[in-house]
Amino acid sequence: MPRFPVFDTIDTGYPPGVTSTTQQELFRFLEDRFACAQACTECARACALRASLVDPDGTQEQELVRRKGIMCAEVCDATCRVLSEQNRLDEAGIRIQVEWCRTVCLECAHVFDRQSGAEDGAKAGRVCAQACTDFLATLN
């Protein structure tokens, strides 16, 4: 395989302490990282929209939908930033953030399932949770 010296200076996107033995593994890591960040962005948007449509003075169930939607949007937004910025979090820090995102997205999806008209938000939560699961697999 030919070597390209210019690529020796490019940051691989790996957190410190994570190594790769093949170029294919590196590509999978970067693709899954990007897919997870993209799913987080879509989920944050869907959850924020759903939360904004709920009456803040509504029923207890509506308040739960609103709170879960806001929390999910915030966690997804933070996770997207962690995955897309070249920060220096270690692998454990990234893993914790992504696992937290996956958990919050699934909880939010379950709450949205009980709300009429929230199907898109529930689906976005599940897609994001799956993208988080896929990305976590690349860290193993």
Side-chain angles (χ1 to χ4, degrees):
M1 177 172 282
R3 298 252 325 134
F4 299 98
V6 71
F7 293 121
D8 293 339
T9 62
I10 295 176
D11 186 0
T12 63
Y14 276 105
V18 176
T19 60
S20 173
T21 56
T22 69
Q23 189 174 18
Q24 184 178 10
E25 289 173 336
L26 173 61
F27 287 146
R28 177 163 181 225
F29 172 83
L30 294 174
E31 287 172 352
D32 287 349
R33 182 175 176 156
F34 177 76
C36 189
Q38 189 173 20
C40 287
T41 298
E42 292 300 318
C43 187
R45 187 175 302 128
C47 289
L49 176 62
R50 173 52 42 200
S52 72
L53 296 174
V54 176
D55 181 6
D57 297 321
T59 65
Q60 203 170 19
E61 181 67 19
Q62 289 174 322
E63 177 60 17
L64 177 64
V65 168
R66 194 174 76 71
R67 282 188 291 116
K68 288 289 186 179
I70 291 169
M71 182 176 184
C72 190
E74 290 175 354
V75 171
C76 284
D77 183 55
T79 304
C80 181
R81 282 194 313 273
V82 164
L83 294 173
S84 56
E85 295 176 357
Q86 292 300 322
N87 57 25
R88 296 293 167 208
L89 275 180
D90 60 1
E91 181 181 349
I94 291 172
R95 181 181 303 279
I96 289 168
Q97 180 68 41
V98 173
E99 287 175 349
W100 183 34
C101 184
R102 177 178 58 185
T103 300
V104 169
C105 286
L106 288 176
E107 288 175 1
C108 188
H110 292 306
V111 170
F112 283 6
D113 283 338
R114 300 188 308 248
Q115 183 77 20
S116 176
E119 294 82 10
D120 289 345
K123 180 181 178 185
R126 285 188 177 83
V127 167
C128 187
Q130 184 60 55
C132 288
T133 299
D134 294 344
F135 177 67
L136 288 168
T138 65
L139 295 177
N140 290 330

